[in-house]
Amino acid sequence: MNVLFISLGCDKNLVDTEVMLGLLASRGYQMIDDETQADVIVINTCCFIHDAKEESIQTILEMAEYKKTGPLKALIVTGCLAQRYKEEIVKEIPEVDAVLGTTSYDKIVEAIDKALEGEVSIELTDIDALPRVETKRLVTTGGHFAYLKIAEGCDKHCTYCIIPKIRGNFRSVPMEQLLEEAQMLADQGVKELILVAQETTLYGKDIYGEKSLHVLLKKLCRIGGIQWIRILYCYPEEIDDNLIQVMKEEKKICHYLDLPIQHASNEILKRMGRRTSKEQLIEIIEKLRKEIPDITLRTTLITGFPGETKEQHEELMEFVDQMEFDRLGVFTYSPEEDTPAAEMADQIPEEVKEDRQAEIMELQQDIAFDLAEDMIGREVLVMIEGKVADENAYVGRTYKDAPNVDGLIFVNTEEELMSGDFARVKVTGALEYDLIGELIS
């Protein structure tokens, strides 16, 4: 039986998708990418911000049409939107046969079985559960890199964020389970592990009594075949000397950190429910750059938060200009129902949010180009991602670049390379966010 899987949203959601794919593959389902030929369609949804919610709803509606025009027998909706709007989905979109919440993805086989028998079901588990699936994940990222989700949920309760209500409280995956999964991924040919969670830096505190990310990292570094380990979603206030030290000691750990700081105005940070001040952010960033001089720092910001004044926006611009982040993304504030920020006074017009977003991104483009130009003449290690069609060139990433969110390097060579190969490259040119290089023979 043919199954089409559509995974929306973040890389953490993608891990859940890959677990479900593994479960279905073990039962003999055939994975396809043509919705017109699918007997079953599963949509793993996102609803973190308004645009993600709209994309999820539109995708469900589009796929529901194949109940009328194609062989589609079962339409399954999983993930964050499913958790949050379970009853509404079943009521408003009768073509949907099953809804699985964020901790029910391990029930995907049973849900499809029921759907094929004509039973409409809503599968919900305790929001603070942590499913354990023994079946091998079906990696969808090309095989040379994979995400390792080390924790689920969040305890921070930022005023703009709905995640704790749909993903539950923070809970770490036991270390032995992660090491087993990482070994399994390495055995499949994965060379880069990318650690993800709603917050990676707090890993282990709930089950070991203290933050244990540095312990996990040391053990992951001992797994043969893994050559790069990258850490995303690091809350700045939780970065400690143990993490910095293990990054300095272990060669496999990329000198790269993703720090979602969201803003730099102390008043806005307080209204957001964040745990840091601008002064603390500067201190943390300066310490990281002092201790690890070649570190690459990525961050994300929210512009147009309720009550944000022109002066606070300019303060954020000044902060970005001063800090010169290697990588930076900006979201316009999205008011989410059932969050405190959505009820705050002084909501900002969309046009103003977008103008402020554009101003920050224009500034960041200048910073990124200058940083890219500084790379010209340097030799870098590159992981090859694939070949450029009809050219003697390949596309790859340096340690400075996480897949799908950061830049690329285009490598000119007549030698034959494979996805996942590592190559020494000399940087010869710079684009806005990308680099150009020559293979060093």
Side-chain angles (χ1 to χ4, degrees):
M1 187 165 287
N2 294 329
V3 179
L4 170 72
F5 236 99
I6 301 173
S7 190
L8 304 173
C10 66
D11 39 41
K12 300 175 285 293
N13 220 31
L14 181 62
V15 173
D16 296 344
T17 290
E18 292 178 346
V19 171
M20 288 187 278
L21 285 169
L23 286 167
L24 293 174
S26 70
R27 285 285 296 268
Y29 284 91
Q30 181 70 35
M31 307 307 156
I32 63 169
D33 57 8
D34 182 355
E35 56 268 27
T36 66
Q37 301 301 312
D39 299 298
V40 179
I41 294 178
V42 183
I43 306 168
N44 197 9
T45 60
C46 176
C47 66
F48 180 55
I49 58 176
H50 176 76
D51 288 350
K53 190 189 306 181
E54 289 296 309
E55 181 186 22
S56 292
I57 294 169
Q58 189 60 38
T59 302
I60 297 169
L61 293 173
E62 288 175 3
M63 293 303 108
E65 288 298 307
Y66 290 101
K67 276 281 191 81
K68 307 169 187 175
T69 63
L72 184 61
K73 301 177 182 66
L75 178 60
I76 316 296
V77 179
T78 71
C80 293
L81 189 83
Q83 178 72 42
R84 193 174 181 193
Y85 299 108
K86 40 197 174 287
E87 288 89 1
E88 291 92 330
I89 291 171
V90 171
K91 179 181 177 182
E92 300 295 334
I93 311 176
E95 292 87 355
V96 172
D97 298 289
V99 172
L100 276 68
T102 53
T103 56
S104 303
Y105 54 84
D106 58 333
K107 307 290 195 309
I108 185 64
V109 174
E110 294 86 341
I112 291 177
D113 287 344
K114 290 179 182 178
L116 293 175
E117 292 171 0
E119 181 182 344
V120 176
S121 63
I122 297 178
E123 300 283 348
L124 296 178
T125 309
D126 179 3
I127 198 172
D128 289 320
L130 200 59
R132 174 73 189 270
V133 176
E134 301 291 346
T135 306
K136 185 185 298 184
R137 273 168 56 191
L138 196 61
V139 176
T140 62
T141 50
H144 49 284
F145 74 88
Y147 298 100
L148 184 68
K149 185 160 67 168
I150 66 173
E152 184 59 273
C154 185
D155 292 338
K156 296 294 188 186
H157 296 279
C158 299
T159 61
Y160 53 82
C161 185
I162 195 66
I163 290 297
K165 293 185 178 181
I166 54 178
R167 287 281 178 178
N169 294 313
F170 183 86
R171 53 213 188 272
S172 303
V173 179
M175 200 172 299
E176 61 273 13
Q177 186 175 330
L178 291 172
L179 294 172
E180 181 181 323
E181 184 177 358
Q183 182 65 63
M184 191 181 299
L185 292 169
D187 292 343
Q188 295 178 61
V190 168
K191 297 179 181 179
E192 178 182 9
L193 282 179
I194 304 174
L195 273 53
V196 296
Q198 303 301 332
E199 177 184 358
T200 53
T201 24
L202 204 58
Y203 174 77
K205 191 169 183 180
D206 55 321
I207 53 179
Y208 304 119
E210 59 185 6
K211 290 185 285 189
S212 304
L213 180 59
H214 63 291
V215 179
L216 174 63
L217 286 166
K218 273 188 172 293
K219 294 185 177 183
L220 289 173
C221 286
R222 303 295 173 262
I223 296 176
I226 301 298
Q227 297 187 48
W228 279 358
I229 298 175
R230 187 182 304 277
I231 314 165
L232 302 185
Y233 308 107
C234 303
Y235 275 55
E237 68 270 21
E238 303 295 352
I239 293 172
D240 58 19
D241 290 342
N242 288 327
L243 177 57
I244 293 172
Q245 191 59 36
V246 77
M247 290 184 71
K248 292 167 68 173
E249 291 175 356
E250 296 290 350
K251 294 181 179 179
K252 290 185 179 183
I253 303 175
C254 295
H255 287 177
Y256 175 108
L257 282 180
D258 166 49
L259 312 172
I261 64 171
Q262 312 307 358
H263 214 280
S265 160
N266 284 338
E267 180 60 31
I268 295 295
L269 288 167
K270 184 177 179 181
R271 286 165 66 86
M272 286 180 167
R274 303 292 291 182
R275 311 293 179 90
T276 47
S277 66
K278 180 172 74 171
E279 293 74 23
Q280 289 170 324
L281 291 172
I282 293 172
E283 181 182 350
I284 292 163
I285 291 164
E286 289 180 345
K287 181 175 183 177
L288 285 168
R289 287 174 168 163
K290 178 183 177 182
E291 294 291 330
I292 311 173
D294 63 341
I295 195 166
T296 290
L297 297 179
R298 153 171 275 282
T299 196
T300 48
L301 305 172
I302 296 174
T303 188
F305 191 78
E308 183 190 54
T309 64
K310 181 180 178 181
E311 291 73 23
Q312 289 166 337
H313 168 66
E314 290 172 351
E315 182 180 4
L316 179 57
M317 291 275 290
E318 182 181 342
F319 178 81
V320 170
D321 193 31
Q322 177 187 356
M323 292 296 99
E324 293 190 333
F325 290 99
D326 302 87
R327 310 285 184 258
L328 183 146
V330 186
F331 295 92
T332 57
Y333 167 71
S334 174
E336 296 304 313
E337 58 184 306
D338 299 326
T339 61
E343 304 301 322
M344 289 180 180
D346 301 320
Q347 297 284 327
I348 306 296
E350 287 300 321
E351 184 179 354
V352 175
K353 296 179 192 177
E354 291 169 4
D355 287 345
R356 291 177 180 178
Q357 177 192 42
E359 285 184 20
I360 297 173
M361 286 312 302
E362 185 177 354
L363 170 60
Q364 180 60 26
Q365 285 170 352
D366 291 339
I367 293 169
F369 184 72
D370 289 343
L371 292 172
E373 280 201 314
D374 288 343
M375 293 295 295
I376 295 175
R378 299 190 192 183
E379 293 183 8
V380 292
L381 184 65
V382 173
M383 175 185 276
I384 300 300
E385 294 281 3
K387 192 175 188 302
V388 179
D390 304 320
E391 292 186 33
N392 292 325
Y394 293 82
V395 64
R397 294 182 290 111
T398 72
Y399 79 91
K400 291 175 169 287
D401 302 297
N404 303 319
V405 292
D406 294 328
L408 299 166
I409 180 167
F410 295 89
V411 182
N412 296 306
T413 180
E414 294 186 2
E415 292 192 29
E416 186 173 342
L417 300 172
M418 300 292 291
S419 296
D421 284 349
F422 282 87
R424 298 296 306 183
V425 174
K426 184 174 182 179
V427 180
T428 58
L431 303 172
E432 190 172 333
Y433 284 99
D434 302 326
L435 301 173
I436 300 171
E438 298 282 349
L439 187 70
I440 300 172
S441 54

